[in-house]
Amino acid sequence: RERGGGGGGNGERTAENEKEQEKSGADGESKNDTNSKAEEEDKAAESEEQEKKKNVSISYDPKDKDSMVKTVTKMIKQLKNIDVQMEVLVKELDRVKAAVAAEQP
């Protein structure tokens, strides 16, 4: 599932997710972790819908410096969000790889 879409709110959810992953440890998911993931997916879906509505395309006035600065700022936030999401994805991938390796005879 695609997550987020820009803005700063996802960083907070990421920190919460990492804390809960640390609590559950490498042996599996706790009950709270499962609930948290469901809540996070719901929030991400809502955020994704909101972003799709307001971010259909990038537009700016090339003659207006303020317009260009706002657009660049928005793009930077989106890139930072992608970076955060990539870090979370890599950690999750490493966790899954370790779990699969542990299950292999």
Side-chain angles (χ1 to χ4, degrees), residues 3-102:
R3 301 206 179 222
N10 289 335
E12 293 171 9
R13 275 188 253 126
T14 301
E16 289 173 9
N17 189 22
E18 289 176 9
K19 287 178 185 175
E20 291 187 86
Q21 283 180 357
E22 289 173 6
K23 286 180 188 175
S24 67
D27 59 342
E29 296 178 351
S30 69
K31 194 172 189 180
N32 289 337
D33 194 29
T34 304
N35 290 339
S36 175
K37 284 185 180 182
E39 289 173 4
E40 182 178 304
E41 287 177 4
D42 290 343
K43 288 178 184 177
E46 289 174 15
S47 175
E48 182 179 335
E49 288 175 19
Q50 290 172 352
E51 290 299 321
K52 282 183 180 179
K53 288 179 184 177
K54 69 179 184 180
N55 290 328
V56 174
S57 64
I58 297 172
S59 61
Y60 60 93
D61 180 1
K63 296 177 182 177
D64 181 10
K65 183 179 177 181
D66 286 339
S67 173
M68 292 177 68
V69 168
K70 286 179 184 178
T71 301
V72 169
T73 302
K74 185 176 180 181
M75 293 168 98
I76 290 170
K77 285 180 183 179
Q78 290 174 337
L79 287 171
K80 286 180 180 179
N81 186 42
I82 290 169
D83 190 45
V84 169
Q85 291 175 359
M86 181 63 79
E87 289 176 14
V88 171
L89 185 60
V90 167
K91 286 179 183 179
E92 181 71 12
L93 183 59
D94 289 342
R95 186 185 68 77
V96 170
K97 281 182 183 178
V100 169

